[in-house]
Amino acid sequence: MVGIVTYGSYVPLYRIKTAEIARIWGDEPSHPEKGLGIKSKTVPAYDEDAATIAVEALRNALRRKNIPGERIGAIFVGSESHPYAVKPTASLIAEVVGAYNAHAADLEFACKAGTAAMQNVYAMVKAGMIDYGIAIGTDTSQGQPGDALDYSASAGGTAYIIGKDEVIAEINHTISFVTDTPDFWRREGQRYPSHGGRFTGEPAYFKHVMTAAKRLMEEMGTGPKDYDYAVFHQPNGKFPLRVGKRLGFTKEQIEQGLLTPYIGNTYSGATPTGLSAVLDVAKPGDRIIAVSFGSGAGSDAFDITVTDEIEKFNRDAAPKIWDQIKRAKYIDYAQYLKFRRMIVEVD
Amino acid sequence: MVVPRFWRERRYRYSLIGTRCPVCGTVYFPPRNVCPKCGRESVGKMEEFQLSGKGEVYSYTVVHQNVLGYKYQKPYVMAIVQTPEGPRITGQIVDIDPEEVHIGMPVRAVFRRIAEDGKAGIIQYGYKFVKDE
């Protein structure tokens, strides 16, 4: 059996309300919540980045179940905001956990690099190459100030250790779907990304998430009713509910893992963190479908069954994600600019 | 800080790894190669020791000065943290309003950016502390 052995999430303490962002840019303060379904988003502190978030998420995973560094055979870190353009985040992770014999690499695929990391580790464990591997989705994403993404791009991450012993959630199957769809991009040297506005919806998010979800269920011989929980990539609070409805899932199946209304879009962290919110409450036998989406564009879909092992697993050894969401310190837009290094100073 | 010096200390800074004297049991952080109490007896015998990252505020100060690299964080709190293992560690306390900090406050270590060598140099990571709730 190959699956999740332990997991941990981390979101920064600081938040900004979307109404506060709207106040600065002359938009109606209630619009972002109504239109995007986002009330607030996380903001990394001045001394946080995708690497520090990855370490905190991984340490939460290791608090729940410690896997010694020498048993870790692979480390993949998915992010679109790796602190360095050249120098891996994965080598820092290896040093932190003492995994000196691990195959380590950074991944980037807009918002789906975290699930791509999970698939890579899953494949290596399944192939018998490694006993355990670390997959992390982490980001401190930024939108252009005043752009629609300014309301949603946030920070957070989740770490999974995947292995074949003492598995708390078996990965029954995983598939992907990918096409060359330029819905969102950032050219080399550009500080902020560009996007295709409404083009990010139908031909991008909906097409890829739906195709991947349908094919996964087709290959597994399942339907929406077979799943207790569904996690879809959450660039805003509305798309996951809409795509779920179109696929035949109910709001009740989606709610537990839908975090964007409170923390914004954590990009590579989004689907992995939504899944962690489900694992925080799941019972043995619960079945989960999780489908990510990364612009550019592709989706990874997972069919997961929670095992009896979760009863013995020490979930309370690290803070659960909804408890982290409730612990928040709200800041204003000026502090947000300061934390995000967006104030231009004369050198 | 020059790159090799930071690189040499990375494990201690990332993971709070100190040393323990196997003769008298004293734990040191930052690590020492020789136990000052046991002297020659401890030479070549010091063992690596992983601190728990827990502790409480022994003393603290609030920095209002514009220290290079900390302009965006001021006022910030620097504290001496008493660890249950023995060593007292100096570190920044983050994610807190300075007026909330008090002597005896339980804290735990977190992983943060400590400094950056300009816009093109290396980023130094290490431990800071947050209130342990």
Side-chain angles (χ1 to χ4, degrees):
Chain A
M1 184 192 289
V2 177
I4 296 160
V5 175
T6 184
Y7 70 97
S9 292
Y10 175 81
V11 288
L13 176 69
Y14 295 100
R15 305 278 190 286
I16 186 164
K17 289 182 176 159
T18 51
E20 166 68 6
I21 302 170
R23 181 179 73 86
I24 299 303
W25 293 106
D27 293 330
E28 167 56 41
S30 63
H31 276 181
E33 193 180 332
K34 276 191 210 149
L36 298 169
I38 306 175
K39 296 180 213 301
S40 58
K41 67 169 194 173
T42 52
V43 182
Y46 185 78
D47 56 0
E48 289 186 297
D49 62 25
T52 66
I53 288 170
V55 171
E56 289 298 319
L58 179 58
R59 284 188 173 159
N60 278 338
L62 294 170
R63 279 181 188 113
R64 287 177 170 141
K65 190 182 196 75
N66 188 45
I67 306 292
E70 59 269 23
R71 300 207 62 192
I72 307 278
I75 301 165
F76 289 100
V77 183
S79 182
E80 60 115 60
S81 48
H82 290 288
Y84 289 91
V86 179
K87 198 224 155 283
T89 310
S91 58
L92 171 77
I93 300 295
E95 190 70 59
V96 165
V97 294
Y100 299 109
N101 297 317
H103 168 78
D106 285 5
L107 302 176
E108 184 274 314
F109 195 143
C111 294
K112 90 160 185 78
T115 56
M118 291 169 72
Q119 284 185 329
N120 276 303
V121 174
Y122 170 78
M124 287 180 79
V125 172
K126 205 172 173 186
M129 291 172 72
I130 60 171
D131 291 332
Y132 296 99
I134 295 170
I136 302 175
T138 177
D139 258 314
T140 54
S141 319
Q142 273 186 293
Q144 171 107 14
D147 182 79
L149 289 176
D150 203 17
Y151 291 112
S152 62
S154 70
T158 291
Y160 287 98
I161 296 184
I162 292 170
K164 52 182 181 294
D165 298 320
E166 297 182 327
V167 166
I168 58 163
E170 181 178 7
I171 298 172
N172 306 314
H173 192 38
T174 178
I175 61 111
S176 296
F177 176 64
V178 62
T179 71
D180 184 10
T181 304
D183 59 316
F184 167 99
W185 62 91
R186 181 167 64 81
R187 294 274 301 276
E188 186 64 47
Q190 292 297 302
R191 181 157 188 190
Y192 301 110
S194 307
H195 58 85
R198 297 188 84 83
F199 186 68
T200 59
E202 283 307 326
Y205 178 87
F206 289 97
K207 180 182 170 183
H208 292 81
V209 171
M210 290 188 70
T211 307
K214 278 180 186 165
R215 187 153 64 80
L216 180 80
M217 289 191 281
E218 211 175 277
E219 289 183 16
M220 292 304 287
T222 53
K225 287 192 175 60
D226 295 313
Y227 298 94
D228 300 279
Y229 298 99
V231 180
F232 299 110
H233 174 54
Q234 31 205 280
N236 54 54
K238 298 246 164 125
F239 278 16
L241 291 170
R242 208 178 293 159
V243 84
K245 198 176 172 186
R246 282 203 212 168
L247 286 162
F249 290 91
T250 63
K251 200 178 165 195
E252 289 67 37
Q253 286 168 297
I254 298 167
E255 266 172 346
Q256 176 63 24
L258 181 53
L259 314 176
T260 297
Y262 305 95
I263 62 170
N265 179 7
T266 56
Y267 281 55
S268 300
T271 304
T273 307
L275 177 60
S276 87
V278 170
L279 293 175
D280 278 347
V281 298
K283 298 181 299 298
D286 279 349
R287 198 156 177 182
I288 307 159
I289 183 170
V291 188
S292 66
F293 171 72
S295 289
S299 281
D300 302 323
F302 298 82
D303 183 307
I304 294 166
T305 304
V306 177
T307 72
D308 293 341
E309 191 67 30
I310 204 151
E311 305 258 283
K312 286 185 260 166
F313 180 70
N314 193 2
R315 277 190 275 208
D316 295 329
K320 292 178 176 172
I321 191 66
W322 277 105
D323 292 334
Q324 292 188 47
I325 290 170
K326 280 176 207 148
R327 259 190 83 244
K329 222 178 171 81
Y330 290 94
I331 57 173
D332 62 22
Y333 199 80
Q335 284 171 297
Y336 165 70
L337 291 179
K338 200 166 129 184
F339 281 17
R340 300 289 359 231
R341 302 161 187 246
M342 290 197 276
I343 294 172
V344 179
E345 290 188 72
V346 178
D347 286 329
Chain B
M1 194 187 288
V2 290
V3 172
R5 188 184 149 200
F6 169 75
W7 171 79
R8 268 198 298 278
E9 295 173 356
R10 70 199 185 284
R11 292 187 62 228
Y12 323 133
R13 289 170 179 270
Y14 291 175
S15 303
L16 282 171
I17 293 169
T19 49
R20 183 178 168 274
C21 171
V23 182
C24 69
T26 307
V27 175
Y28 296 97
F29 188 90
R32 281 178 178 268
N33 292 326
V34 178
C35 173
K37 292 181 191 165
C38 303
R40 183 176 295 178
E41 266 192 88
S42 68
V43 173
K45 294 180 192 157
M46 297 297 279
E47 300 162 346
E48 280 200 349
F49 186 87
Q50 170 79 61
L51 275 82
S52 64
K54 299 262 184 184
E56 57 179 51
V57 174
Y58 177 78
S59 188
Y60 72 97
T61 187
V62 182
V63 184
H64 295 271
Q65 293 297 316
N66 192 0
V67 177
L68 189 69
Y70 280 75
K71 179 178 169 183
Y72 281 56
Q73 295 178 66
K74 74 181 174 69
Y76 63 94
V77 182
M78 287 304 292
I80 297 171
V81 171
Q82 175 68 58
T83 66
E85 295 88 358
R88 285 181 189 147
I89 301 173
T90 303
Q92 190 183 344
I93 302 188
V94 292
D95 287 0
I96 196 162
D97 294 327
E99 52 270 26
E100 273 184 66
V101 181
H102 57 270
I103 288 168
M105 183 178 86
V107 292
R108 63 180 172 85
V110 291
F111 191 82
R112 295 287 173 109
R113 279 182 184 221
I114 306 292
E116 314 166 31
D117 191 5
K119 283 183 180 166
I122 62 157
I123 303 163
Q124 294 163 17
Y125 293 95
Y127 57 86
K128 292 188 181 183
F129 293 90
V130 294
K131 188 178 177 184
D132 193 16
E133 288 170 304

